[in-house]
Amino acid sequence: MWLARRGWRVTGVDFSDVALRAARELAAASGVEIEWIEADAVTWVPPGRAYDLVTVMYLQLPAHERRAALAHAAAAVRPGGTLLVVGHDRLNLTEGSGGPTQADVLFTPDDVVAEIGDLAIEKSLRVRRPVDGGAAARDAIDALVRARRPAGA
Ligand SMILES: C[S@@+](CC[C@H](N)C(=O)[O-])C[C@H]1O[C@@H](n2cnc3c(N)ncnc32)[C@H](O)[C@@H]1O
């Protein structure tokens, strides 16, 4: 939604019809047009080397499924394009706030770096995200990786 409001042509993917219905309503209320695809990110193969930017946001999957989804996401980045992965970091379980409570769906920036093939890593770090909940609330801890497919690669 954020990208579409800024003029990007956006395709959104989720396997939940409930999530997509909510997203469609939000897009309509925001006056933006987005292509929605109902698909399982583990098995769905997007067009190869086709997108300027591929974002994977808070997709918390067991490692073998995450590997498949990230490989598909990375392969969809065009030469010169960017992959941005953000999700709940493994450290969030013990030192953070919110997010899944099953350790096996949490990951680290290093996990992502190892799973996105030959893209050039521009950022790979843990980021703290303030959450509502008063002064006593702990920040959430996210894993963030930004990578680029070199032009011509
Ligand atoms: C925490 S929500 C994040 C939603 C959105 N990406 C965002 O950042 O606001 C996780 C979403 O991942 C979707 N999801 C989980 N497993 C998936 C899969 N294998 N394929 C596609 N979507 C999946 C869920 O339906 C849910 O909408």
Side-chain angles (χ1 to χ4, degrees):
M1 220 68 70
W2 190 89
L3 289 166
R5 286 194 200 107
R6 282 157 184 79
W8 288 69
R9 192 152 62 91
V10 176
T11 300
V13 182
D14 199 293
F15 72 177
S16 160
D17 61 338
V18 175
L20 289 179
R21 200 176 319 126
R24 277 196 185 91
E25 287 170 11
L26 202 54
S30 299
V32 293
E33 291 227 354
I34 294 179
E35 177 191 25
W36 299 108
I37 296 178
E38 187 174 327
D40 187 333
V42 177
T43 53
W44 180 66
V45 180
R49 300 186 176 213
Y51 295 93
D52 294 313
L53 171 66
V54 177
T55 69
V56 180
M57 293 287 145
Y58 300 95
L59 183 63
Q60 308 294 150
L61 300 171
H64 65 287
E65 294 188 1
R66 184 188 66 237
R67 273 194 285 276
L70 289 182
H72 294 148
V77 177
R78 73 158 177 80
T82 295
L83 173 69
L84 177 66
V85 181
V86 182
H88 301 287
D89 191 275
R90 194 162 299 140
L91 205 57
N92 192 61
L93 194 57
T94 50
E95 297 181 28
S97 177
T101 53
Q102 312 121 264
D104 69 327
V105 301
L106 300 171
F107 55 87
T108 67
D110 285 351
D111 292 331
V112 176
V113 167
E115 294 165 5
I116 57 174
D118 54 359
L119 301 192
I121 306 302
E122 295 183 330
K123 283 189 175 198
S124 170
L125 70 167
R126 290 190 162 119
V127 287
R128 293 186 169 268
R129 176 169 43 83
V131 295
D132 291 338
R138 298 195 300 195
D139 289 349
I141 303 172
D142 290 341
L144 181 153
V145 173
R146 193 180 81 199
R148 183 174 287 273
R149 181 179 299 289

